[in-house]
Each structure stands twice: as C-alpha cells, then as structure tokens.
Amino acid sequence: MINSELPLAAYGVLEGFRAPESVNPAVEQLRTIGYAVIDSGYTQSEIVDIGDRFARTSDAYISEHGRSALASINEVDTIRAILTQSDEIFLQIAMNAALKNVVDELILGKYILNQQNGITNPPRKQYSQSAWHRDLPYQHFVSSRPLALNALYCVDDFTIDNGGTFVLPASHKMEQFPSEGYIRRNAVQIAAKAGSYIVLDCMLFYCGGYNNTLSPRRAINHLFTVPYIKQQINLPMAMSGRVLTVEQKAFLGFDYQIPPSVGGYLSGRAIKNF
Ligand SMILES: O=C(O)CCC(=O)C(=O)O
C-alpha cells in the first residue's frame, strides 16, 4: 500500500521558529557590524604568562624552520598551527569559555578549529598582515549567518601606536572590496587590552596597522568554521600523539576527516548509527 501521509519528519534542520535567545551584546554586534571585543577572563598573571609562552614558542619555531627561510616566503611573522607546538596553553586559549559562548551562538550547529596561528606585528617594519583581506580569502559571497568566525587573542595591548587591527564595519555584508575613498572614510582602528579577543565575522575586511613603537605587537588568530571547510593544516593528524578529551577531538575536527574509501564512509555511518 502507498503511504500517502504528508511527510513531517526533517533532517539537516537545526533551527525552527522560536524566540530569540541571545542577550549577549557581542553576538548582536557581530551580526550587525561584523566585529566585537570580548574579555577572556584571564587574570593579569595568566596574561603575562601567555606572553612568555608565546615568546618561547616563537623562538623554538623560528629555530626549527629557520628565520631566513621563513622570511623568504613571507612567513616570518607567523607561527602556523601554534597549538601543535609543545605548549598546551594554546589549545586552552582556542577553547576559552567566553569565546565559546559567542561562537556557539553565531555558528549554528557544529564547527571546528580550522586554524590557530601566532602572529607578530614587528616594530617599525613591513608586516605581512597589513593589507586588507578576509579570513576566507578570495570569497565574495554574502551569507545570512556566518560560516566562519575568527578571533584574535591579544597577547599584548592593541593600541593606535602599535598598529592595532583596522576593520571595515559591516563589510561582511558587501560582496565587493570597497574603494580607497570608502576605506579612508569608514575604517576603524580597534584598541583592545591584552587578554581580550577581537572576534570578527570571517567575511569582514580587516588588516593590521603599522607598528610605530619599539616592541612587537603579538596576537593569536583563530579561525572557526563549519566542518565543510577544510583546515589549513590537518590538525587531527598533527595532534594525533596528544592525549585529548572527546570534546577536544571534536573541536579539532577528528570527526570530520575525509574517509579514504566508500567502505570507510559506510563504516563511519554505521558507527554514527544512521
Ligand atoms: O595583526 C592584525 O591586526 C591582523 C592579523 C591578520 O590579519 C591575520 O592574522 O590574518
């Protein structure tokens, strides 16, 4: 017999009609102008300790890969996948509770850590991140909700003098990169204390400013994406030697690795039981 009942079950649906729940001002601001500054909740001594660990990790990274080799490929200001270095603090910074609250509200459903890079805006030098860009580069779509967010953890204070981040408010809602005149009239430079996160819609145009002081201005940039966007570096593979919780593994994308074959895909479905 043909079942002529109207189908009412659905799959792949995460949001139905319901009252808005968010009261977090950072969430509202991210939706409207595309950026917000939030406090990590770390104490002053934790913030200083993170700065020291960043410096040690940076030295180790540069001696592993070679300063001149990194400089020759415009990579000397960046510590790629900093959480894969030996210090466990960087995974904790990526999973900070205040940050998670905001990202959870803005990316509906699952998301993963796509990138975590240490960055240094050097004193009085050309900086690799000083050109306007989006963190999903080469993309020109507008989406009704973010597919990705990024968050710059401020290792040092971000000031006007040391080249604090510039943003173009609401540019996540425009497909095209705007004219020079528009940038001159509308760019905003963000001052933020060490220990803050500058959270951005990944489609917002932004860049670092010129650091006119004698000290480096350091940050840790995170990109959180829906799992369909591939990671910059295979974090499950790079972190496979670590003892990780179920939650940490999910966050790092262990559940979203590409199956090597049809058989691998089917056995993955069997494990998920659907
Ligand atoms: O240093 C900054 O303010 C911007 C960093 C940046 O643009 C990036 O990491 O992609």
Side-chain angles (χ1 to χ4, degrees):
M1 193 182 87
I2 297 173
N3 184 347
S4 60
E5 268 186 31
L6 179 68
L8 292 175
Y11 73 90
V13 174
L14 292 167
E15 192 177 47
F17 286 110
R18 56 180 180 173
E21 280 157 13
S22 172
V23 284
N24 188 331
V27 169
E28 191 173 25
Q29 190 172 317
L30 272 147
R31 286 201 176 115
T32 51
I33 57 174
Y35 69 97
V37 179
I38 63 169
D39 183 14
S40 63
Y42 298 137
T43 63
Q44 200 49 41
S45 67
E46 286 170 331
I47 293 167
V48 170
D49 181 50
I50 291 169
D52 294 344
R53 288 164 185 253
F54 185 107
R56 285 196 293 274
T57 305
S58 174
D59 289 347
Y61 184 89
I62 288 172
S63 59
E64 183 185 350
H65 298 285
R67 182 177 290 281
S68 56
L70 290 168
S72 71
I73 52 171
N74 204 19
E75 280 282 323
V76 79
D77 303 326
T78 309
I79 308 169
R80 293 282 162 197
I82 189 169
L83 78 167
T84 66
Q85 304 295 306
S86 54
D87 198 319
E88 293 186 359
I89 195 76
F90 300 112
L91 179 55
Q92 289 171 34
I93 294 169
M95 297 185 80
N96 173 277
L99 177 61
K100 182 175 181 309
N101 283 342
V102 171
V103 181
D104 281 357
E105 278 214 51
L106 284 161
I107 303 182
L108 196 65
K110 306 273 187 203
Y111 61 86
I112 59 167
L113 180 68
N114 182 296
Q115 300 177 31
Q116 188 197 42
N117 296 322
I119 47 177
T120 300
N121 186 347
R124 298 190 172 169
K125 276 202 196 116
Q126 183 59 34
Y127 175 37
S128 58
Q129 298 302 328
S130 64
W132 290 100
H133 59 283
R134 292 175 152 149
D135 265 358
L136 288 189
Y138 305 103
Q139 305 306 308
H140 285 278
F141 60 84
V142 170
S143 65
S144 58
R145 58 175 68 241
L147 297 176
L149 291 171
N150 58 300
L152 286 164
Y153 172 78
C154 304
V155 176
D156 303 302
D157 288 345
F158 276 40
T159 66
I160 305 301
D161 283 349
N162 73 8
T165 306
F166 279 92
V167 293
L168 271 179
S171 55
H172 62 306
K173 297 188 173 174
M174 310 187 291
E175 292 195 344
Q176 288 90 0
F177 182 57
S179 65
E180 258 187 48
Y182 184 92
I183 294 171
R184 285 185 205 288
R185 288 189 298 276
N186 293 289
V188 169
Q189 193 173 16
I190 301 175
K193 298 302 283 177
S196 315
Y197 290 91
I198 302 174
V199 188
L200 310 164
D201 184 295
C202 72
M203 297 304 282
L204 194 83
F205 281 108
Y206 81 115
C207 62
Y210 183 73
N211 181 355
N212 202 16
T213 69
L214 297 176
S215 309
R217 190 274 278 152
R218 301 165 303 165
I220 301 170
N221 194 5
H222 302 81
L223 181 65
F224 305 103
T225 64
V226 294
Y228 298 102
I229 299 176
K230 80 173 173 63
Q231 290 171 322
Q232 184 176 59
I233 289 164
N234 186 329
L235 295 178
M237 204 174 265
M239 299 286 278
S240 61
R242 299 268 180 97
V243 178
L244 296 165
T245 64
V246 171
E247 190 196 0
Q248 287 170 331
K249 283 187 167 174
F251 176 72
L252 294 170
F254 279 69
D255 301 343
Y256 294 100
Q257 297 179 73
I258 301 174
S261 61
V262 174
Y265 174 83
L266 295 177
S267 53
R269 298 273 310 219
I271 291 166
K272 283 193 211 153
N273 201 23
F274 70 91

